[in-house]
Amino acid sequence: EFPNGINAELSFGCFLDCINLVNVSIPSSMEHGPDDAVFPGCHLLGDTNDDEPFPPGIRGRFAQLPVHEACYNASIATVDELLRILDSSNLQEKLVDAYGMTPFHVITTS
């Protein structure tokens, strides 16, 4: 888990050839080194290009998906927090993320 607001930098190949990596979210606050491909060989996440070292949709992946984000951060989210989010969210519009994952997919792969 990378919590929102973390101040860290990912270096070249830190997730090199993680062929089974399917559930990761990179907060917008995280940086990468110059010309660093962070996820080379992570085929389940999609390919990166020269302009962006992160796969499409990974950076800020759950920014507009509060239920997904709570499930992704399951080790720090509380039941009360999840209930509050469920009560206040319009879930019909936000059932899947950019990778087609529902909150249930996220929690089972976290």
Side-chain angles (χ1 to χ4, degrees), residues 76-89:
I76 59 172
T78 65
V79 172
D80 289 337
E81 178 184 2
L82 186 56
L83 288 173
R84 181 186 52 77
I85 293 168
L86 289 170
D87 286 342
S88 66
S89 295

Side-chain angles (χ1 to χ4, degrees), residues 24 38-39 56 60 64 74 81 92 107:
V24 67
V38 177
F39 294 91
Q64 302 301 315
E81 178 184 2
Q92 297 302 321
I107 201 163

Side-chain angles (χ1 to χ4, degrees), residues 78-110:
T78 65
V79 172
D80 289 337
E81 178 184 2
L82 186 56
L83 288 173
R84 181 186 52 77
I85 293 168
L86 289 170
D87 286 342
S88 66
S89 295
N90 183 355
L91 298 178
Q92 297 302 321
E93 297 175 8
K94 303 174 183 176
L95 289 178
V96 296
D97 70 0
Y99 288 87
M101 293 179 75
T102 70
F104 298 113
H105 292 115
V106 174
I107 201 163
T108 59
T109 58
S110 291

Side-chain angles (χ1 to χ4, degrees), residues 17-46:
D17 293 331
C18 292
I19 59 172
N20 293 317
L21 182 62
V22 68
N23 189 18
V24 67
S25 175
I26 303 296
S28 299
S29 60
M30 288 192 87
E31 298 294 329
H32 57 83
D35 302 320
D36 281 350
V38 177
F39 294 91
C42 298
H43 304 293
L44 293 177
L45 294 176

Side-chain angles (χ1 to χ4, degrees), residues 62-82:
F62 303 130
Q64 302 301 315
L65 301 166
V67 177
H68 286 72
E69 184 171 31
C71 291
Y72 178 74
N73 294 311
S75 68
I76 59 172
T78 65
V79 172
D80 289 337
E81 178 184 2
L82 186 56

